[in-house]
Amino acid sequence: MTDLASATRRRLLLGGFCLCCLPGAIRRGEASPGPFASEEIAEGIHIRRGVDEDASLANRDAIANIGFIIGRDGVLVADPGGSLTDGENLRATIRQKTNLPIRFVVMSHVHPDHIFGAGAFRQDNPVFVGHARLAQALLQRGEYYRSVLATMLGSERAGPVVAPTMLVSDKTEIDLGDRLIEARAHGPAHTTCDLSLFDKKTGTLFPADLLFVRRAPSLDGGLRGWLKELAALKQRGAARAVPGHGPVSIDWPAGSTDIERYLTTLERETRQAVADSVGIEAAVRTVASSERDKWLLFDEYNGRNVTEAYRELEWQ
Ligand SMILES: [Zn+2]
């Protein structure tokens, strides 16, 4: 495997895909169209809980928490879903609740499980909102993500790469008439293009994948940066937060305790491994092992997180 292919495969895995699931594509043909179950976690905010699995034909990459906010003048989609099918099901769910126009589709970061449903909303002609660095990240990875998703689900269910039409480089406010939603661009953390939302009306924070709960986090941006961005988000007085993976709503900032402990452990023990001249392969087997029983899919992600952390910290 070339370095490029290896790096791409690693990034793909970080995005929630599992390449070993690909043979399941021969079972293509099952369909699950229509609205799905969602929960109204605060006034006008509806969230669908993603399953705690890697992407597969069976789950249609519906593995992230996604949802929508209904305002007086329109709807904001807060992550359009992991595939065209997931996005179509989300759109059907929205249409069960309201006929207001879908004005904004926010794409929280480049990982496919959050954004490949965007194509389902093109017919609504919304503003597609993303981090200023999302466009470049999609140029680098989008087509590859799309092709693997197409192999897994069939090209008709994978979804197109949709570029953001409104870029956020610092922060901005989105107006739905009776509610303002702040969008904030973060420095390298979970990825290099993380965008969070804050609904001022209900005090609800949408950190997306800056917050994993129960499912093991995946590091694809910067470890020190992630801890810094988490610390900044904790300063925000929010009534609740919607994790990118895990329960649809948790108290904030109390809900950040586990991921902060994991990332802090990852940083401390990786630094120690570097200081002790422990090789990267040995570090992968030992760093953060005290966290193994605390996370779903730990063995699928921790080793790669250690590799990322080691490369970040070894030159300091
Ligand atoms: Zn992600």
Side-chain angles (χ1 to χ4, degrees):
M1 192 179 284
T2 64
D3 285 345
L4 177 61
S6 173
T8 306
R9 182 176 186 275
R10 182 170 51 80
R11 285 172 183 148
L12 190 71
L13 288 161
L14 283 163
F17 283 112
C18 174
L19 294 182
C20 62
C21 298
L22 290 180
I26 59 173
R27 288 167 45 234
R28 200 178 302 156
E30 307 150 22
S32 53
F36 46 52
S38 61
E39 183 178 336
E40 187 169 8
I41 61 150
E43 184 190 344
I45 302 179
H46 302 259
I47 306 294
R48 185 287 309 277
R49 194 195 192 293
V51 293
D52 294 315
E53 302 169 1
D54 277 324
S56 70
L57 173 66
N59 64 36
R60 301 288 197 276
D61 203 18
I63 63 173
N65 291 342
I66 61 173
F68 53 99
I69 304 174
I70 303 173
R72 187 192 67 201
D73 298 343
V75 179
L76 177 147
V77 173
D79 275 352
S83 62
L84 185 63
T85 299
D86 200 23
E88 288 170 346
N89 292 345
L90 174 59
R91 190 173 182 281
T93 308
I94 294 170
R95 282 292 165 253
Q96 261 191 344
K97 311 282 184 198
T98 178
N99 284 319
L100 286 168
I102 297 168
R103 290 250 162 89
F104 300 92
V105 174
V106 176
M107 301 188 285
S108 65
H109 63 294
V110 70
H111 287 158
D113 52 322
H114 290 259
I115 62 171
F116 264 79
F121 297 93
R122 277 179 161 168
Q123 61 191 294
D124 301 295
N125 200 27
V127 177
F128 290 97
V129 184
H131 191 293
R133 284 191 290 265
L134 176 62
Q136 181 64 27
L138 279 171
L139 282 176
Q140 291 171 341
R141 302 184 184 184
E143 180 52 30
Y144 188 67
Y145 283 157
R146 191 206 60 76
S147 67
V148 174
L149 204 51
T151 303
M152 184 185 293
L153 305 181
S155 57
E156 72 282 6
R157 296 203 185 98
V161 177
V162 176
T165 55
M166 173 180 160
L167 298 178
V168 182
S169 55
D170 181 18
K171 63 180 178 179
T172 192
E173 283 188 338
I174 297 170
D175 189 353
L176 292 181
D178 61 339
R179 63 201 308 165
L180 289 173
I181 295 146
E182 183 182 288
R184 181 180 293 265
H186 296 271
H190 168 62
T191 65
T192 58
C193 52
D194 299 308
L195 191 75
S196 68
L197 300 176
F198 181 72
D199 173 51
K200 294 187 169 182
K201 183 173 181 177
T202 62
T204 303
L205 178 66
F206 293 74
D209 275 5
L210 292 171
L211 178 63
F212 283 67
V213 177
R214 297 179 199 157
R215 178 187 172 121
S218 64
L219 173 61
D220 191 22
L223 177 54
R224 289 167 305 149
W226 197 343
L227 282 163
K228 184 174 143 215
E229 297 296 343
L230 258 185
L233 284 174
K234 281 173 67 180
Q235 296 304 311
R236 182 181 272 295
R240 65 189 68 77
V242 179
H245 298 271
V248 291
S249 176
I250 54 164
D251 292 339
W252 189 258
S256 65
T257 302
D258 287 351
I259 190 169
E260 192 167 39
R261 185 198 62 242
Y262 171 76
L263 295 175
T264 302
T265 302
L266 180 63
E267 182 186 22
R268 184 182 64 249
E269 295 187 7
T270 302
R271 280 191 193 282
Q272 193 61 51
V274 171
D276 293 346
S277 300
V278 171
I280 197 164
E281 289 180 13
V284 160
R285 290 192 294 273
T286 57
V287 167
S289 56
S290 62
E291 293 284 318
R292 173 167 284 113
D293 296 338
K294 300 182 171 79
W295 299 94
L296 300 168
L297 301 174
F298 180 88
D299 289 330
E300 283 82 347
Y301 289 90
N302 185 64
R304 291 194 293 271
N305 293 344
V306 174
T307 302
E308 287 280 317
Y310 200 102
R311 288 179 178 147
E312 177 182 334
L313 298 173
E314 69 180 328
W315 299 112
Q316 292 197 348

